[in-house]
């Protein structure tokens, strides 16, 4: 069938999540049940968008049960679709529990010109004020917009457009749960159109190969009074480690020997647990400070939060990158102007 080039084609791909959940008997609790076609049927306003919409029900899982292999498989499918020129934009609907992580992971695996928009819902379809239909309508609008072409992966939620490297789920139940503390939204959807106010920084594309190598990467947060005993056990069982440090990248001084030894064997990335801001490099010099840890071989995550740093490190390890490549990739990945210059 020949594609009508006068109308953009957007494919909506369902992964499950709250946006696709319905009450189940006998307890009435929500579980994934709706297909991508069902989601579209709940948004009659899509008929007025002048967009050809296709659907694919790829999975039916809560966001908490999605895996890296699920997203890798999805990214392979999406690259093929976009590479063939069969679609002008892609929308992925999924659970919000992991949306900030999967969107960033997709941004590392997908680099086609057709925009890839990730969205979901905070309220299931049967609840009063369900936000799924509005989010889906806004996501299709962005995916079909020529102004989004070439921007890669975007997150659309509550009529706001976010960079996946900066977006965070910052509330457990609010329909405005998604924010970007460091940068704010890139734009909005208003009057049926994308109004882009800024563009995301161009992230490095670490994947030139398939994710065909095993790699286990742990994330360990710094907390008051932790003497490092559990950290020492964990760090000997993984291929890479992300430390979510206090403030700008600090840990208890008792951790320093453990992390220094680990950094000689595996990549250890230092991020901030705060949720906004960046790790520093030389503002503090005490044992366990960012300057001390970097001097002992740890790798700074910069503006990447611990969750996203873990995905970047995992992707690099699973694609066979060595320590030098990992260090070089994290250097621009942690800045506000990724990949530029």
């Amino acid at each position: 069938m020949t594609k009508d080039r006068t109308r953009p084609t957007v494919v909506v791909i369902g992964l499950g999540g709250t946006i696709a959940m319905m009450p189940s008997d006998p307890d009435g609790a929500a579980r994934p049940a709706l297909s991508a076609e069902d989601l579209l049927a709940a948004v009659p306003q899509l008929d007025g968008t002048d967009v050809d919409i296709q659907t694919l029900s790829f999975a039916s899982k809560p966001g908490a049960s999605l895996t890296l292999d699920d997203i890798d498989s999805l990214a392979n499918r999406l690259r093929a679709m976009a590479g063939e020129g069969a679609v002008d934009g892609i929308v992925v609907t999924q659970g919000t529990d992991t949306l900030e992580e999967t969107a960033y992971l997709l941004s590392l695996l997908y680099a086609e010109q057709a925009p890839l928009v990730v969205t979901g819902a905070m309220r299931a379809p049967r609840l009063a004020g369900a936000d799924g239909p509005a989010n889906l309508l806004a996501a299709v609008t962005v995916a079909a917009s020529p102004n989004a072409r070439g921007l890669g992966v975007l997150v659309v939620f509550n009529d706001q457009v976010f960079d996946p490297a900066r977006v965070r789920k910052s509330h457990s139940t609010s329909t405005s749960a998604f924010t970007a503390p460091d940068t704010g939204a890139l734009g909005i959807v208003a009057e049926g159109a994308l109004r882009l106010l800024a563009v995301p920084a161009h992230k490095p594309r670490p994947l030139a190969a398939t994710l065909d190598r095993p790699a286990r990467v742990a994330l360990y947060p710094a907390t008051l009074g932790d003497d490092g005993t559990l950290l020492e056990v964990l760090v000997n069982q993984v291929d890479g480690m992300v430390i979510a440090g206090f403030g700008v990248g600090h840990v208890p001084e008792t951790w320093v020997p453990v992390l220094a030894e680990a950094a000689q064997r595996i990549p250890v990335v230092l991020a901030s647990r705060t949720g906004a801001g960046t790790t520093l490099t030389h503002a503090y010099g005490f044992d366990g400070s960012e300057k001390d840890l970097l001097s002992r071989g740890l790798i700074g995550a910069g503006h990447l939060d611990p969750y996203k740093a873990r995905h970047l490190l995992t992707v690099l390890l699973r694609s066979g990158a060595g320590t030098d490549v990992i260090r070089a990739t994290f250097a621009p990945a942690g800045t506000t102007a990724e990949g530029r210059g």
Side-chain angles (χ1 to χ4, degrees), residues 12-256:
V12 175
I13 301 175
L15 300 185
T18 294
I19 193 172
M21 290 189 182
M22 297 292 285
S24 58
D25 294 329
D27 58 8
R31 292 178 172 82
L34 302 179
S35 67
E37 292 85 352
D38 295 329
L39 298 184
L40 292 179
V43 194
Q45 294 88 345
L46 285 169
D47 293 337
T49 59
D50 199 34
V51 177
D52 289 328
I53 301 177
Q54 302 172 0
T55 59
L56 172 64
S57 294
F58 189 84
S60 184
K61 294 182 176 183
S65 292
L66 291 170
T67 68
L68 189 149
D69 287 334
D70 288 335
I71 302 306
D72 183 35
S73 177
L74 174 63
N76 289 334
R77 186 80 170 266
L78 301 185
R79 286 197 300 266
M81 282 183 183
E84 293 167 358
V87 297
D88 298 293
I90 300 166
V91 172
V92 172
T93 65
Q94 68 153 89
T96 62
D97 282 350
T98 54
L99 191 149
E100 67 188 276
E101 296 185 60
T102 57
Y104 179 67
L105 182 55
L106 282 168
S107 77
L108 299 176
L109 305 176
Y110 176 90
E112 304 299 328
Q113 287 296 300
L116 196 174
V117 179
V118 185
T119 194
M122 293 298 294
R123 294 177 181 167
R126 287 293 179 89
L127 296 179
D131 55 329
N135 287 340
L136 182 54
L137 177 60
V140 169
T141 299
V142 172
S145 173
N147 292 330
R149 188 163 181 83
L151 296 184
V153 179
L154 299 167
V155 171
V156 172
F157 222 92
N158 198 33
D159 285 335
Q160 294 183 293
V161 183
F162 297 101
D163 179 350
R166 304 291 168 238
V167 73
R168 290 184 65 98
K169 184 178 180 179
S170 57
H171 197 283
S172 62
T173 59
S174 172
T175 55
S176 58
F178 285 86
T179 61
D182 280 331
T183 60
L186 298 173
I188 63 170
V189 177
E191 297 182 322
L194 168 63
R195 298 186 181 183
L196 197 64
L197 305 175
V199 295
H202 296 292
K203 290 164 281 295
R205 306 295 177 184
L207 260 194
T210 307
L211 299 184
D212 56 359
R213 300 171 189 240
R216 180 179 293 173
V217 177
L219 194 164
Y220 194 91
T223 56
L224 181 69
D226 187 333
D227 64 4
T229 301
L230 295 177
L231 172 64
E232 186 170 10
V233 173
L234 180 61
V235 81
N236 288 313
Q237 301 180 50
V238 296
D239 305 293
M241 171 74 77
V242 174
I243 298 296
F246 300 117
V248 298
H250 300 161
V251 302
E253 62 182 354
T254 53
W255 291 20
V256 173

